[in-house]
Amino acid sequence: MKFRGPRLLARIVLALLAAAALAVVMSGCSAIDDATKSDVAKTKVGDCINITDNSTTATEGEPADCSTPQAVYKVHQSFDEQTECASNEYTSYTEQLPTGGTTFLCLAPNFAQDACYNDVGTSPYKWVDCASPDATFKVVQRIDGETDELLCDSGEEFIVVSDPKTLFCLSTP
């Protein structure tokens, strides 16, 4: 009778080496995914985004300082697959990665008081100068911590975000 101990041990060592190599390759995919993401797709929950092109065929943006009027959206949720946002008050952002993965963000409006924006209805909001003919509304009042639209003056339009609670009172520019 032959003792198979050395062969069995060699197979176990080879299996462990293969598993380690697979783990290195899989962790490398995450690094590759991160390297191929746009700056917007790399944002985290709480970060803000400026939409630089809100055409119906291709939305483009860039990270922005949340205290500026250009920070049109704040990242509310982030996912690695397409998901329904909690409410229609959030705008969705999807990016297909070259490696086959997906970045999906739910974005909450982050409008600044006294700033103007462009709303074309089928595309995300975009910050614009109030003197621009592209300006479709102006935020006359931003009330953090409130969602009661009755706080806006009569005749004003409004946008309500439930989380984080924010009320935007709007007028024409």
Side-chain angles (χ1 to χ4, degrees), residues 23-145:
V24 167
V25 168
M26 293 305 286
S27 68
C29 287
S30 176
I32 291 170
D33 276 353
D34 284 346
T36 61
K37 286 181 177 180
S38 71
D39 289 340
V40 170
K42 290 178 186 175
T43 57
K44 308 284 185 233
V45 171
D47 290 347
C48 290
I49 297 170
N50 173 30
I51 300 298
T52 56
D53 178 3
N54 66 340
S55 69
T56 55
T57 56
T59 301
E60 295 178 15
E62 61 192 6
D65 179 341
C66 291
S67 65
T68 66
Q70 293 84 356
V72 180
Y73 289 103
K74 185 177 273 193
V75 178
H76 178 68
Q77 294 175 307
S78 177
F79 303 96
D80 290 332
E81 60 186 35
Q82 189 156 349
T83 307
E84 288 294 321
C85 292
S87 168
N88 63 359
E89 61 198 38
Y90 302 106
T91 298
S92 61
Y93 173 90
T94 305
E95 183 175 313
Q96 299 297 324
L97 304 176
T99 58
T102 302
T103 294
F104 187 81
L105 304 174
C106 294
L107 306 172
N110 185 55
F111 305 134
Q113 187 164 314
D114 298 322
C116 293
Y117 299 89
N118 174 264
D119 177 15
V120 293
T122 58
S123 298
Y125 299 112
K126 179 181 175 185
W127 173 83
V128 293
D129 186 273
C130 288
S132 167
D134 292 336
T136 56
F137 69 90
K138 180 177 182 175
V139 178
V140 293
Q141 190 173 16
R142 174 186 172 140
I143 307 172
D144 293 317

